[in-house]
Amino acid sequence: MSLTRDLTRLIREKPVTERDLEWASLFVLDTLGCALGALPSEPARMLKAVAPPAQADTARKAFYLGGLSHILEMDDLHRDSVTHPGSVVIPAAWAVAHDHDLGGEAFLRAVLAGYEACCRVGMSVGKKHYRIWHNTSTCGPFGAAFAVAELIGLDDDRTVWALGNAGTQSSGLWEFLAEGAMSKHLHTARAAESGVLASFLAREGFTGAQNILEGEKGFYAGLCPDPIPEAVTAGPDRAWQLITTSIKPWPCCRHTHPAIDGAIALHAEIAGEAIAKVKVGAYRAALDVCDRPIPEDPYSAKFSLQHTVAIALADGRVDQASFDADARQRMAGERKKVDVELAPGIEAAYPESWGAEIVVETASGRRLSAARHDAKGDPGNPVTATELSEKARAQLIAGGSSPARADELIGAILALPGNRPVRSLGLLELAGDARPHARAAGSA
Amino acid sequence: MSLTRDLTRLIREKPVTERDLEWASLFVLDTLGCALGALPSEPARMLKAVAPPAQADTARKAFYLGGLSHILEMDDLHRDSVTHPGSVVIPAAWAVAHDHDLGGEAFLRAVLAGYEACCRVGMSVGKKHYRIWHNTSTCGPFGAAFAVAELIGLDDDRTVWALGNAGTQSSGLWEFLAEGAMSKHLHTARAAESGVLASFLAREGFTGAQNILEGEKGFYAGLCPDPIPEAVTAGPDRAWQLITTSIKPWPCCRHTHPAIDGAIALHAEIAGEAIAKVKVGAYRAALDVCDRPIPEDPYSAKFSLQHTVAIALADGRVDQASFDADARQRMAGERKKVDVELAPGIEAAYPESWGAEIVVETASGRRLSAARHDAKGDPGNPVTATELSEKARAQLIAGGSSPARADELIGAILALPGNRPVRSLGLLELAGDARPHARAAGSA
């Protein structure tokens, strides 16, 4: 027996519907928006200097796109595996589909398969793994390798070799966080590239360990103090893991999202009336990380429940501009009106549910309230295709695309289930050509 | 404090003599002989298909050469760190010196520095690390990154970032051994490449964790149950670690080497007389791995004390042909005369000394004996420059070079201290152009 062999069979026997392909195209749109939106940032300039896409081989293209995708921290999140599968799987699949001139349908099928491999390995690593290791970085290579194996038509044996060589390349330590270093973008870059290399080598006959996960000197032995091997193949008939992946609608801490969602809904009801007082009820982890009454820079504003709720109530939306100096100054008085506190019911439901409740009192004494049981963008509270397109459009424009080019690209990505060749979208040219802006618009 | 910062200072303050550069050129010759000698093998064909050097960026060139260097298992070994520093550091340094058109002296200085970083990190990982992790693969990125940092002139701060991002890419599990899969070559390829990427990114300003080794979520926390952090900076005035690195004279298990060395010496004394009986005394680990009276394929012949001693006594030398079907057939009777046993004195001195003793009785009743306290090629029993050139020449010719081209390349490598530009040696062209042979000559 071999867990990666079982996983390979499970994925290859899983039926793919038209609707699954449409879902996948939404996640592709989201990831590529994140990637191209990051182009004006300093880390993107650095990655491009080291891996200029025009001269890059396929694995290096995956490296570049993989790095780009994770810079804005706006890419998708699979809660049960604590991975960002899109930032690794989609870059690898895109680079291969581009260089092999493949069609959108094959590409989307590979994306579904790649998410499945990344998320299922991620669900098996155990909680202690995450204390030291960056799950996206360690589990991502499995997802990237699987997606590429699908695209280049590896049989089951070679796919298992590829997964073996993906796992033996798994790396990514959280230590960079202590100083806020940039390694996180390198992690997704490397994970995407590792998967491409592993599958390309397997195509040539390069062998790998078939028990890379469960073997005596394998991934669990080396990196996982409390693994859950059975999670790799549990519930084979569940929906594709891609469909249970969350999308981030706003460029700020995920813990602020349910409160922002409620605040945006209340914005319309308030209808411009002055606010007297706001109460936000949240779960403990949200308070631990995001009870921040006076944020002093864009990054801390993204981790402030007071700021995010105030600006969502005032503007009815949240975007990159919501955290800049003007916005922070404009909200100085409004933030003072926001009290945050522990809400026992919300806390009891966490972490299965990431919820929030808000009560607003207006100057005229009206009381308005909103409650959320899921973070906006979770499968239980999904973003619509329209909302997602708006997010991507804003990112593409911030990344240097014209509005017309952005709309064209969004349309083409959402039409991928119709099997248009991936290369014809011109994404890599866009990612390679865009000039860095004078100031990094997107990086926190 | 930061261990990698301390290591950076230690290396940069260490004086380099003319003699150190000459030593370094010997190790370069050895590694490149191993790399080019592997060209006809199947794994080399696979690596070249994925990373064709003519189209490769610098990091991908390092990947290709890094993979090539380790295929024959004939590359150098640093005992105290259990790493093969040459197979990672030299490919990274060569690719960068080639693409930046640098001179031999700068290149050799970078090689000394890179070995030092790889070996010193390797001496700090502790014994438990090696049970799961392939030290060359996990510590190699530090060595490759440091060598590249020297070549592209990174200051101390950026070198520390580079080491941080080298360490967060560290990977390489032993699980592939269970099935004899090919991952080992991928490990050195990836380690060499990781170092290049880390230092190239650092040049652009890409930050990394300065406490990557000792930090709470760093390398030791993730990969080392019993680390020895103080080993990183112990004995700053010792000779360069490169000088304490062992070279492998023969293409077979290192545990057979002291016995082979003794047997080759006795070959001359036997002078063609028939042998009646041979006794080989060895340490326990050698018996555990290499007591193999009837080897049935080239690989197991390389792990047979009986076969290696028999053929060294008969032929006075050991090379790749010593393990093929003809040689195994020819030695069938001779192997039966060889008894291997534990020698208490040899065992007591292991592992500081890898020794052996041999007693031969000839048909006429003469008794001849030889004893060795070190394996041939260890610093206490070094190979000469002439022996090393012969090894490299045989490898280069096996790899497809003409004898004239081999001699020219050997001469040019040994002249690197005179600062000839690295690119002018044409090594990458040789590594990229050579055609695979019909049969893999070198791979076991």
Side-chain angles (χ1 to χ4, degrees), chain A residues 319-340:
Chain A
D319 57 28
Q320 292 285 355
S322 306
F323 307 99
D324 64 19
D326 286 350
R328 295 198 310 278
Q329 172 62 29
R330 183 161 58 88
M331 286 302 116
E334 296 303 305
R335 278 195 305 263
K336 287 189 193 154
K337 302 174 184 168
V338 181
D339 280 327
V340 303

Side-chain angles (χ1 to χ4, degrees), chain A residues 57 60 165 169 183 190, chain B residues 57 60 165 169 183 190 194:
Chain A
D57 64 33
R60 186 70 69 231
N165 282 322
Q169 294 178 81
S183 311
R190 204 75 169 109
Chain B
D57 64 34
R60 186 70 70 229
N165 282 322
Q169 294 179 81
S183 312
R190 208 69 171 115
S194 295

